[in-house]
Amino acid sequence: LGKPIGDLDEFTDDLKISLLEADVSLATAEKLSDNLKGKLKGKRIKFGEDRDKVLKEAVKSTITDMLKIKIPNLYSMASSKSPFIILLVGMNGTGKTTTAAKLAYEFKKRDHYVVIAAADTFRAGAIDQIFIHGEKLGVKVVKHQAGSDPASVAFDAVSHASKYPRSVVIIDTAGRMQTNKNLLEEMKKIKRVSKPDFTILTVDALSGNDALNQAKMFDEAVGIDAIVVTKIDADTKGGSILSLIYELKKPVIFVGNGQTYEDLMEFDPNWYIKNIID
Amino acid sequence: SLSKSLRETLRKISRSTSIDDNLINEVVREIQRALILADVDINLTIELTRKVEQRAKNEPVPKNSNPRNHLILIVYEELLNILGKPREFKAKPATIMLVGLYGQGKTTSAGKLARFYIKHGFKVVLIAADTQRVGAYEQLEQISKQVGADFFGIYGEKDSRKIVSGALSKYSNWDVKIIDTSGRNALNEDLLEEIRGIAEIAKPDEVMLILDASIGQQAGKQAEAFNKAAKITGVIITKLDGTAKGGGAISAVAKTGAPILFIGTGEHLDDLEYFNPARFLSRLLG
Ligand SMILES: Nc1nc2c(ncn2[C@@H]2O[C@H](COP(=O)(O)OP(=O)(O)OP(=O)(O)O)[C@@H](O)[C@H]2O)c(=O)[nH]1
Ligand SMILES: Nc1nc2c(ncn2[C@@H]2O[C@H](COP(=O)(O)OP(=O)(O)OP(=O)(O)O)[C@@H](O)[C@H]2O)c(=O)[nH]1
Ligand SMILES: [Mg+2]
Ligand SMILES: [Mg+2]
C-alpha cells in the first residue's frame, strides 16, 4: 500500500516562495498550493517511489491543469477572411510595436498581403519606428500626420487592405495606462471604428503583480482575445503567464523571445512548465 | 532554507496564545501580503517580516497608539531605512548616463531630465547612444525639439562609443550632457560591456537606472548587474501614474545603495517629480 505522503506544509511553503520569485501572482501561488494539496490528499508513496519525484510530478500536473485553455490558431484564423484585422493594445513600453512588426513578418511569410496601421500618433518617433519596420519588412504602412486621430489611421488601413485578397491588417496603437480614462476611451473608439477580428494585449514578462491588473482593466475596457507576453528572453521565469491564464481565463498565444522579427514563439505549455519549475 | 525561516517566524507568532500576539500575527501577515502585492523582493519581504516581528516583541506599543498601527509604523520605518536619506538632487552641470531594461522609459526620462535642467537655466544636449532600437534616433531628436535641448546623434552609426566621443568633443563646454542608451538585459555580459565602454569614454557624473514601477522580482538582480558595469548613482521609477506600486525599486536601492531621485508620472515631458519617500511608501503599503 505504501506510506502516507505526510505533512505538505514545508513543501508548499518552499513552492510558494519559488513561484512568487518567478513572478507568479500571490493569489495564483496560493491557489496552486491549494490545488496541489487537493490533488495529493490521501496519496500514498508506493514502495520504491521517491517522495520528491512524486511531489514534483504533482506540481507539474497541477500547473498543466491550470494552464488548460483553448489556444486560438491566429495563423489559420487569418486565412478565414480578408481583411483579417488585428488590434494591438497594452501599457506603455510592453512591446506592441515590436510585436506588430513580428506579426507582419509572420503573415507576410504566409503569403498574406499585410498592412500595418501606424495608429500611435502621439509618442515621439512612434510613426517613424513602425514605418522603418515596414520598410525593412517590405510591408505597407498606412500613416497620417503626428497628432492625427488614431481611429482614422486604422480605418484607412482597413479600407486600403479591403482592396486586396488574403489581406491582414495589424493596428499598432499608442501605449496607455489602464488608469487613464481618456486613453481608454480613445482605444474603445479605435476598436469601434476598425472592427478588429482579433484584439491582442501585450504584457511585459518582467512585470510582477501588476500584469494581472493591466490585463483585467484592458479587458474590461475594450475586450481582449489573447495575450502576447514579451521579453521572456530577459532571464525571466514568466510566472505572470500562469496568473494571466488561470485568473483571467485568456489564452497566451505567443511569447516575445527577443527583438528580431523571428522572435515570436507560439506559447507551448510544456516548454513553459520546464521553464518555471526548473 | 528561506521558507523554513518564514514558517518559523509565522508559527512562532501563531504558537503564542495571548490576544495581542494573535493580533500581531494577523497584522504581520497583512503587511507581508501588502509587500508581496507591491512587488517587493520576496527575500527582502521575509527579512522585513522577521525584523518587524522582532521589534514588535522588544518594543512596547506607545501610549497613544495601538498594536496594529505600531506594527505598520515599524515596517514603514524599516522600509524608510532601506530607502536611505533622500538625496537633495541639485541641478548643476553634469554628464548623465541613463541605463535600464527594455521599454522602461529611459528615452522619455532623458527628455524629462532635459526639461528639468533647462527650467533651471542650463544648456542641455541629448545624446542618442541607442544604436540598436528602430527609430531611436528620431524619437530622441523629436524629444530634443520639444524641450529645446540640443541633439547629437550619428544616423546609422552602430558603434555607440563613436557617438559618445563625438558628442563630448562637440559639446565639451556644455553644462549638461544626457546620454540615452538602449534597453538591455544586464545579465547579458556583452550588453553590459557596451555600458562599460560608454562609461569609460563619458566618465559620467551620474548613472541613473530607469525602472518601470511594474517591474517584478527581477529588479534587484538587474540593478545589481547594471551596478557592476557602471556605478549607479540614482534611480528613477517611471509609470507611477498606473496601478503598480513600484516595490521592485526598493531592491534596486538595496542592491546598489543608490537613492531614488525622481519618479515619472506620465508620458508628457513635464511629468517628472522629485522622489518623496513618505508618499511613495504610504501608496505602496496601501
Ligand atoms: N528582449 C526583448 N525585447 C523586446 C521584446 N519585445 C519588445 N522588446 C523591446 O522593448 C522595447 C519596447 O518595445 P516597443 O515595441 O517599442 O514597445 P511598445 O509597447 O510599442 O511601446 P510604446 O508604444 O512606447 O508603448 C524595445 O526596446 C523593444 O526592442 C522581446 O520579446 N524581447
Ligand atoms: N504613463 C507613463 N508612460 C511613460 C512614463 N515614462 C515613459 N513612459 C512611456 O513608456 C514608453 C516607453 O518609453 P521609452 O522612453 O521609449 O522607454 P525606453 O526605456 O527608452 O525603451 P527602450 O529604449 O526601447 O529600452 C513610452 O510610451 C513612454 O511614453 C511615465 O512615467 N508614465
Ligand atoms: Mg509602440
Ligand atoms: Mg529608449
Side-chain angles (χ1 to χ4, degrees):
Chain A
L1 250 198
K3 54 185 167 79
I5 196 123
D7 180 65
L8 288 173
D9 283 351
E10 169 162 13
F11 181 77
T12 55
D13 285 347
D14 266 332
L15 178 65
K16 258 187 236 164
I17 289 189
S18 49
L19 290 171
L20 290 171
E21 285 181 319
D23 285 317
V24 174
S25 79
L26 182 57
T28 308
E30 290 176 332
K31 291 212 186 93
L32 198 157
S33 152
D34 290 343
N35 292 351
L36 179 71
K37 281 187 170 152
K39 195 182 274 283
L40 290 171
K41 191 165 186 188
K43 187 152 177 74
R44 305 184 76 82
I45 307 288
K46 302 197 193 72
F47 183 72
E49 251 185 344
D50 175 5
R51 183 178 187 263
D52 283 343
K53 264 203 178 157
V54 171
L55 292 178
K56 192 170 185 189
E57 282 313 306
V59 171
K60 285 190 176 167
S61 85
T62 305
I63 295 180
T64 304
D65 292 342
M66 291 169 78
L67 287 175
K68 280 212 163 68
I69 191 166
K70 184 163 191 310
I71 300 184
N73 185 335
L74 190 61
Y75 298 137
S76 60
M77 285 174 82
S79 298
S80 65
K81 71 187 280 277
S82 179
F84 187 83
I85 306 161
I86 300 168
L87 175 66
L88 280 158
V89 298
M91 199 189 75
N92 303 77
T94 52
K96 296 174 292 301
T97 304
T98 306
T99 302
K102 290 174 181 177
L103 286 169
Y105 169 77
E106 291 295 338
F107 284 112
K108 179 170 191 218
K109 204 165 62 170
R110 290 165 170 79
D111 294 321
H112 290 275
Y113 176 70
V114 183
V115 180
I116 295 173
D120 178 353
T121 58
F122 166 75
R123 204 206 69 209
I127 297 172
D128 296 276
Q129 184 185 5
I130 192 66
F131 192 75
I132 295 169
H133 277 307
E135 287 184 327
K136 290 171 124 206
L137 290 164
V139 164
K140 166 93 180 160
V141 176
V142 170
K143 62 184 171 83
H144 291 181
Q145 288 244 23
S148 53
D149 176 21
S152 61
V153 182
F155 184 83
D156 273 6
V158 173
S159 310
H160 171 82
S162 303
K163 305 196 199 107
Y164 298 83
R166 273 187 74 71
S167 63
V168 173
V169 180
I170 300 168
I171 305 167
D172 179 27
T173 64
R176 68 201 68 232
M177 277 304 171
Q178 56 272 18
T179 46
N180 187 317
K181 295 242 170 354
N182 292 336
L183 291 184
L184 292 184
E185 284 309 310
E186 175 189 88
M187 176 174 59
K188 286 182 194 171
K189 181 180 175 199
I190 296 171
K191 184 157 185 171
R192 229 180 11 254
V193 166
S194 62
K195 303 193 180 54
D197 301 293
F198 206 81
T199 302
I200 293 174
L201 172 77
T202 55
V203 172
D204 189 335
L206 289 156
S207 45
N209 283 275
D210 196 56
L212 201 52
N213 283 343
Q214 289 170 36
K216 277 194 188 137
M217 292 166 91
F218 270 86
D219 189 36
E220 273 167 30
V222 79
I224 64 177
D225 296 302
I227 298 170
V228 171
V229 176
T230 62
K231 313 178 200 173
I232 201 110
D233 54 297
D235 280 277
T236 70
K237 292 266 176 151
S240 61
I241 291 177
L242 182 58
S243 310
L244 289 167
I245 294 174
Y246 186 69
E247 305 285 342
L248 201 65
K249 305 279 182 276
K250 296 283 177 184
V252 170
I253 50 168
F254 298 115
V255 289
N257 196 22
Q259 296 171 282
T260 77
Y261 300 128
E262 290 155 323
D263 292 322
L264 193 66
M265 272 176 41
E266 300 196 21
F267 177 67
D268 173 8
N270 293 320
W271 160 87
Y272 177 71
I273 290 171
K274 279 215 199 77
N275 204 35
I276 197 172
I277 286 301
D278 306 308
Chain B
S1 73
L2 285 165
S3 77
K4 189 155 176 287
S5 51
L6 168 62
R7 270 180 306 112
E8 279 175 3
T9 302
L10 293 181
R11 284 193 181 161
K12 226 186 297 168
I13 296 171
S14 60
R15 216 177 293 139
S16 52
T17 52
S18 80
I19 293 184
D20 253 7
D21 281 347
N22 275 329
L23 181 54
I24 289 177
N25 179 12
E26 225 174 283
V27 179
V28 168
R29 274 189 204 279
E30 180 192 336
I31 289 170
Q32 203 172 56
R33 290 188 77 78
L35 292 172
I36 295 174
L37 288 171
D39 294 314
V40 176
D41 178 89
I42 295 303
N43 298 329
L44 186 56
T45 300
I46 292 172
E47 200 183 314
L48 279 165
T49 308
R50 223 187 278 138
K51 273 220 182 96
V52 168
E53 192 236 2
Q54 200 173 32
R55 284 187 56 181
K57 277 221 193 102
N58 303 334
E59 291 168 30
V61 181
K63 288 258 183 285
N64 59 346
S65 179
N66 62 53
R68 185 168 183 283
N69 289 342
H70 177 53
L71 283 171
I72 292 178
L73 186 60
I74 289 176
V75 78
Y76 185 86
E77 285 180 2
E78 291 297 328
L79 285 169
L80 216 53
N81 234 354
I82 297 173
L83 290 178
K85 283 191 82 343
R87 183 187 144 187
E88 255 289 314
F89 193 79
K90 292 263 175 280
K92 60 178 177 4
T95 297
I96 303 167
M97 180 164 86
L98 303 186
V99 300
L101 284 154
Y102 312 95
Q104 306 286 288
K106 295 175 294 302
T107 306
T108 306
S109 300
K112 290 176 179 179
L113 283 170
R115 171 152 288 169
F116 166 81
Y117 279 106
I118 288 169
K119 273 204 189 122
H120 284 88
F122 292 98
K123 299 223 299 286
V124 179
V125 58
L126 286 166
I127 301 166
D130 178 351
T131 56
Q132 180 258 350
R133 171 169 156 154
V134 168
Y137 179 104
E138 289 88 340
Q139 184 184 9
L140 193 62
E141 184 180 42
Q142 289 172 26
I143 286 173
S144 309
K145 284 208 186 80
Q146 288 179 40
V147 298
D150 249 51
F151 170 75
F152 186 94
I154 303 173
Y155 204 81
E157 173 59 67
K158 283 293 162 205
D159 188 349
S160 55
R161 291 164 308 168
K162 283 212 183 106
I163 295 173
V164 174
S165 22
L168 294 179
S169 61
K170 178 171 182 198
Y171 288 94
S172 54
N173 61 340
W174 274 54
D175 303 318
V176 180
K177 310 168 188 75
I178 301 174
I179 303 166
D180 180 30
T181 67
S182 44
R184 73 198 61 228
N185 173 9
L187 302 177
N188 178 318
E189 259 311 309
D190 300 325
L191 296 179
L192 219 52
E193 198 46 41
E194 186 189 31
I195 295 292
R196 279 193 195 100
I198 295 174
E200 219 171 293
I201 297 172
K203 308 222 183 330
D205 304 292
E206 302 282 351
V207 178
M208 297 187 189
L209 176 65
I210 313 297
L211 273 182
D212 189 321
S214 65
I215 193 167
Q217 295 293 313
Q218 291 299 314
K221 253 200 191 158
Q222 288 284 339
E224 192 172 38
F226 275 109
N227 204 35
K228 284 200 295 159
K231 179 107 186 63
I232 304 296
T233 60
V235 175
I236 300 183
I237 311 174
T238 61
K239 310 180 201 174
L240 272 169
D241 48 305
T243 48
K245 299 291 173 71
I250 299 177
S251 353
V253 171
K255 292 284 186 187
T256 62
I260 300 169
L261 299 174
F262 295 101
I263 63 170
T265 56
E267 285 193 77
H268 294 96
L269 300 173
D270 300 306
D271 296 327
L272 186 73
E273 298 176 15
Y274 279 116
F275 177 66
N276 179 324
R279 205 180 309 150
F280 174 74
L281 288 180
S282 64
R283 181 173 177 274
L284 188 135
L285 290 172

